[in-house]
Amino acid sequence: MAGASARWLVLLLVAVSVALAAASGKRERWRSGAVGGQVVEKERRRVVADAEAGTVTAVDVADAEGTAYRLHFISMDTGALFLPVQLHADMVFYVHSGRGKVTYIEEESGEQSSLEVERGDVYNLEQGSILYIQSYPNATRQRLRIYAIFTSEGINADDPWKPKVEAYSRVSNLLKGFETEVLRLGFGVQREVAEAIKSAKTPPSIIPYNPQEKGDDEKPNWTEDIVDALLGVRDPEEFLNKKKKDKHKHKEKGKKSKSKAFNFYSGKPDVHNCYGWSKTMTNKDLDALHGSNIGMFIVNLTTGSMMGPHWNPKATEIAIVTEGSGIVQTVCSSSNSSDKSRRGRHHGDERRGPGGRGDEGDKGGGGGGGSDARRCRNSVFRVKEGDVFVVPRFHPMAQMSFNNGSFVFVGFSTHMGQNRPQFLAGKGSVLQVIGKEVLSLSLGQKNSSAVEKLLSAQRDSTILSCISCAEELEENAAEERRRQEEEERKEKEERERKEREEEERRKEEERERKEREEEERRKEEERERKEREEERRKEQEERERKEREEERRKEQEERERKEREEEERRREQEEREREQEEERQRRKEEERARREEEEREREEEERRREEEEGGGGRGDEPEREEQEEDGDEPPYRLSKKLKKRYRVRSG
């Protein structure tokens, strides 16, 4: 009867998913959805630290609102030490195996406290605390394994005003970043101590550690001194005068307070039957989680069992499979999400990191586009030991174990203190409150008989028997995947056919376009050829015109030159003729003057002869002198002057 009731619940979960898919009018995928379940496989974890004494791996996940969480998986050999770190985010951790001691120094009080931890322990530490872990040797050499979740606005923050931060930083990095003189003066230690700290090689994050008792209580513990000074919990005067304190005060200073963690395996589970058990703790239930908004839960399903269908109205579940394997089914409860919700869920998808299986089946082409790839989808996926799976709030879920093994997972819940899980089956189901008739109409049933059987068949709601449910869901999911792959293959072939047709059409259009371009090119070349010929013709005409003008210009210049030369020759000829005429006139004048002079001389000669012949004396000399006095020159003097002038011109 119990197995039949469980199958009714599985059918109910499937019916709800089918109804939601029909309401949205879109085909849902079983494997996983864009905002449905998210899986990060163990093999996909990234390595943070790797040493001979242990390893640290990490995974980043996000809820539907885009808030990021970082998971660290710390694995330490027996007799090892996880060196001190300062937390940059709030930390909640769960001890999966082994035994050890967690020592921490809180930022506010500065007091050093220690926790003796073992399998099942849970505790919370606030950001700013300093933490280191020691694993104890044991007979079975079982490693100390701790699963921790870190929450901070700075982890994977996309807001540029909020810088990204790591989960923690090593104390050695905080100290070695300072110069030697700053360390010496800032911490009040001797130079050799500061130099030793600066020059020492930084060890791995996890080292082998075998503590030995120290016989000398007065021997100073410089490591503790520097940590105290770093946190500002010791006054400088007290630090410098440490050696002056008496032995009693020194021992009082060295005392450590001890706290106690909560253990999941102590006390009674919340639910316990032959099909398994579960336990949930929040900050309201547990002092160890005080100040944290993270709750914890553990579920242990025996073979062929199921955690009944339920959802969280305010919390996102981040679970780690610690033993066995199982099937997880999630249902997308919202077919029409607001823009803000879609943005938040898509933001969360981007934070999945490598290995997330929450986006399979979102690669479909065609008209789906990016918006279809981001829509909420139903999910069915198998998880194994070490895998991490995330179920956002408002997503109904069910976890089932296989018939051949148990299925154990431990996890963290966000906003757990304000969350109250809602189960679909049992007396306290919300479906009981809705009523049979309304629920029948919602599920598309013509009468309420099937719904009445569904609601009355199961009285329990949490952990149920469900033999072969996981196998059937996995087989159905595999069949659905094969069907989807076949549909995708056909869609791909149809898409490729359309692409080929589109490619052929595009090639034909390209060929026609090239032909048009070739024709236009030929026409353009012909037009350019004619333009070039016309241009050459015009250039030839212009050249001939310029040659004619040049020839006319040269002829004109030659004509003007000849005219100038002719004019010059004419002027020169006229000048020569004028000079010749002047010379002739001058000669004529000289000849006339000479003749006149000769005539006067002849006349004078004749007159003298006559005087000589007639008077024989100088009786006329007084008269000649009178003439000279009157200004007239005697004829012989005038004749001499004319001769002298003629000789000068002739010379």
Side-chain angles (χ1 to χ4, degrees):
M1 182 64 182
S5 300
R7 281 183 170 79
W8 270 106
L9 288 174
V10 174
L11 290 175
L12 171 63
L13 201 60
V14 174
V16 171
S17 65
V18 171
L20 290 171
S24 64
K26 298 179 180 179
R27 176 173 54 86
E28 300 295 344
R29 303 193 178 194
W30 282 87
R31 179 61 175 169
S32 56
V35 192
Q38 170 193 348
V39 179
V40 181
E41 297 163 330
K42 180 180 180 180
E43 295 77 14
R44 298 292 185 176
R45 298 176 187 171
R46 69 177 184 277
V47 177
V48 176
D50 188 8
E52 293 182 0
T55 60
V56 180
T57 57
V59 164
D60 287 341
V61 296
D63 59 18
E65 301 301 324
T67 303
Y69 302 92
R70 180 161 296 169
L71 299 178
H72 272 208
F73 302 86
I74 303 172
S75 179
M76 301 170 59
D77 290 343
T78 57
L81 179 66
F82 180 85
L83 293 176
V85 297
Q86 185 179 45
L87 300 181
H88 295 173
D90 293 339
M91 171 184 177
V92 175
F93 66 86
Y94 166 78
V95 181
H96 175 54
S97 65
R99 293 179 61 253
K101 181 172 68 173
V102 176
T103 304
Y104 60 94
I105 304 170
E106 294 179 334
E107 182 181 22
E108 293 183 359
S109 64
E111 294 182 358
Q112 180 171 299
S113 304
S114 62
L115 290 171
E116 300 288 337
V117 295
E118 60 183 358
R119 177 174 178 261
D121 280 350
V122 177
Y123 203 74
N124 168 60
L125 293 173
E126 295 182 354
Q127 60 181 348
S129 302
I130 287 184
L131 161 76
Y132 58 94
I133 305 170
Q134 177 187 352
S135 62
Y136 290 157
N138 56 71
T140 60
R141 299 189 61 81
Q142 190 177 36
R143 305 185 99 194
L144 177 61
R145 290 183 173 89
I146 295 177
Y147 302 156
I149 186 170
F150 297 91
T151 59
S152 172
E153 292 182 352
I155 292 180
N156 280 358
D158 288 337
D159 188 346
W161 301 105
K162 297 177 181 177
K164 295 182 180 180
V165 298
E166 296 298 330
Y168 49 76
S169 60
R170 298 181 62 176
V171 172
S172 60
N173 294 337
L174 299 178
L175 293 175
K176 290 188 175 183
F178 292 102
E179 297 296 331
T180 303
E181 193 65 15
V182 175
L183 285 177
R184 186 184 72 82
L185 297 176
F187 298 112
V189 296
Q190 298 177 0
R191 174 175 290 275
E192 55 268 21
V193 175
E195 290 177 349
I197 292 175
K198 284 282 293 182
S199 61
K201 183 179 179 180
T202 302
S205 296
I206 302 175
I207 61 173
Y209 181 64
N210 294 313
Q212 298 177 356
E213 294 294 333
K214 298 180 180 180
D216 187 4
D217 291 336
E218 293 294 329
K219 186 176 180 179
N221 187 344
W222 290 110
T223 303
E224 183 179 346
D225 292 340
I226 291 178
V227 171
D228 289 345
L230 175 66
L231 294 175
V233 299
R234 180 173 299 176
D235 184 77
E237 292 295 329
E238 178 187 359
F239 187 90
L240 294 173
N241 298 326
K242 177 184 176 184
K243 291 186 177 181
K244 297 181 181 180
K245 294 183 179 181
D246 56 34
K247 182 176 181 180
H248 176 72
K249 290 185 178 180
H250 180 77
K251 288 184 177 180
E252 288 294 328
K253 183 67 181 179
K255 284 187 177 180
K256 300 178 182 179
S257 61
K258 291 189 177 181
S259 302
K260 189 174 182 180
F262 167 77
N263 193 284
F264 263 123
Y265 296 98
S266 63
K268 294 182 179 180
D270 298 335
V271 177
H272 189 194
N273 56 32
C274 58
Y275 310 119
W277 61 273
S278 68
K279 196 168 188 177
T280 301
M281 297 303 298
T282 70
N283 55 5
K284 293 183 178 181
D285 304 319
L286 187 64
D287 290 339
L289 294 178
H290 178 71
S292 173
N293 203 24
I294 299 292
M296 290 208 64
F297 62 88
I298 187 170
V299 176
N300 188 327
L301 299 177
T302 61
T303 58
S305 300
M306 175 179 67
M307 172 64 74
H310 64 284
W311 77 87
N312 293 308
K314 294 185 178 180
T316 293
E317 289 190 3
I318 304 170
I320 306 164
V321 181
T322 59
E323 182 181 341
S325 60
I327 292 293
V328 179
Q329 180 177 13
T330 64
V331 174
C332 181
S333 59
S334 175
S335 58
N336 294 315
S337 301
S338 65
D339 292 340
K340 181 178 180 181
S341 298
R342 281 197 296 269
R343 285 195 298 269
R345 287 195 293 268
H346 179 54
H347 186 55
D349 289 342
E350 291 176 345
R351 296 178 181 273
R352 288 178 181 178
R357 292 207 311 260
D359 54 355
E360 292 186 13
D362 294 340
K363 300 178 182 178
S371 61
D372 182 67
R374 291 193 295 270
R375 65 189 176 93
C376 184
R377 299 182 186 277
N378 298 333
S379 306
V380 173
F381 44 83
R382 178 172 183 159
V383 290
K384 65 182 184 306
E385 183 176 343
D387 289 350
V388 177
F389 64 92
V390 181
V391 181
R393 64 174 183 161
F394 296 127
H395 285 62
M397 74 188 92
Q399 296 93 357
M400 287 150 278
S401 61
F402 290 97
N403 294 340
N404 60 354
S406 59
F407 180 28
V408 183
F409 54 93
V410 64
F412 308 94
S413 296
T414 64
H415 302 284
M416 194 61 181
Q418 305 170 5
N419 182 67
R420 184 179 180 85
Q422 301 292 318
F423 283 84
L424 289 171
K427 294 183 296 183
S429 170
V430 67
L431 301 181
Q432 298 281 0
V433 181
I434 293 176
K436 301 174 184 178
E437 293 183 2
V438 176
L439 185 59
S440 299
L441 295 174
S442 176
L443 295 176
Q445 299 294 317
K446 295 182 179 180
N447 56 65
S448 61
S449 58
V451 174
E452 185 175 357
K453 292 179 181 179
L454 185 69
L455 296 179
S456 60
Q458 181 61 260
R459 298 183 62 84
D460 296 329
S461 62
T462 307
I463 300 178
L464 314 168
S465 173
C466 196
I467 299 174
S468 300
C469 292
E471 286 82 358
E472 290 178 6
L473 273 180
E474 186 176 36
E475 184 178 352
N476 292 339
E479 180 63 28
E480 179 67 16
R481 284 197 300 274
R482 286 192 293 270
R483 185 184 66 80
Q484 289 178 5
E485 289 173 357
E486 180 64 19
E487 290 181 359
E488 289 175 356
R489 184 186 63 80
K490 292 180 180 179
E491 290 177 357
K492 183 179 179 181
E493 291 177 354
E494 179 67 15
R495 187 168 61 252
E496 290 176 350
R497 183 187 65 79
K498 291 182 179 180
E499 288 176 353
R500 286 194 300 271
E501 292 178 354
E502 179 66 20
E503 181 67 16
E504 291 176 358
R505 184 189 63 79
R506 188 188 62 79
K507 288 182 179 179
E508 180 65 20
E509 291 179 352
E510 181 69 14
R511 184 184 61 79
E512 293 177 355
R513 183 186 63 80
K514 288 183 178 180
E515 289 179 354
R516 290 194 301 270
E517 290 179 352
E518 181 66 19
E519 181 66 21
E520 291 176 357
R521 185 186 62 80
R522 287 196 297 269
K523 290 180 180 180
E524 181 68 18
E525 289 179 352
E526 180 66 18
R527 184 183 61 80
E528 291 177 353
R529 184 186 63 79
K530 291 181 179 180
E531 288 179 353
R532 287 195 299 272
E533 290 179 355
E534 180 67 17
E535 184 69 20
R536 285 196 296 270
R537 185 186 63 78
K538 290 181 179 180
E539 290 177 355
Q540 180 66 21
E541 291 179 354
E542 180 68 16
R543 190 166 52 252
E544 292 175 355
R545 184 186 63 79
K546 289 182 178 180
E547 289 177 354
R548 289 194 298 271
E549 290 180 353
E550 180 68 16
E551 186 175 354
R552 287 196 297 269
R553 185 186 64 78
K554 290 181 179 180
E555 290 177 355
Q556 179 68 18
E557 289 179 353
E558 181 66 18
R559 187 168 56 253
E560 291 176 354
R561 184 184 64 79
K562 289 181 179 180
E563 289 177 354
R564 287 195 301 273
E565 291 178 354
E566 182 66 23
E567 179 68 19
E568 184 69 21
R569 285 195 300 272
R570 186 184 62 78
R571 285 198 299 270
E572 290 178 355
Q573 181 65 24
E574 289 178 352
E575 181 67 20
R576 284 195 300 273
E577 291 177 355
R578 185 183 62 77
E579 290 178 353
Q580 290 175 0
E581 181 64 24
E582 289 179 353
E583 182 65 20
R584 284 195 300 272
Q585 292 295 331
R586 183 183 62 77
R587 289 179 179 178
K588 286 180 180 181
E589 183 66 23
E590 289 179 351
E591 181 66 22
R592 185 184 62 79
R594 185 182 61 77
R595 288 175 181 173
E596 289 178 354
E597 181 67 21
E598 289 177 353
E599 183 65 26
R600 282 192 300 271
E601 288 179 353
R602 199 168 43 252
E603 290 176 357
E604 182 67 25
E605 183 65 27
E606 289 178 357
R607 187 180 60 82
R608 280 195 308 268
R609 279 195 309 269
E610 288 177 358
E611 287 178 355
E612 289 176 356
E613 291 177 358
R618 299 179 57 91
D620 56 353
E621 287 181 4
E623 185 179 354
R624 190 182 306 124
E625 291 176 358
E626 290 177 1
Q627 290 177 351
E628 290 177 359
E629 291 176 0
D630 292 336
D632 294 332
E633 292 183 357
Y636 69 92
R637 292 183 178 177
L638 181 60
S639 177
K640 288 181 179 180
K641 289 181 179 180
L642 290 174
K643 288 180 180 179
K644 185 178 182 180
R645 185 185 304 169
Y646 177 76
R647 283 195 300 271
V648 171
R649 289 186 178 181
S650 298

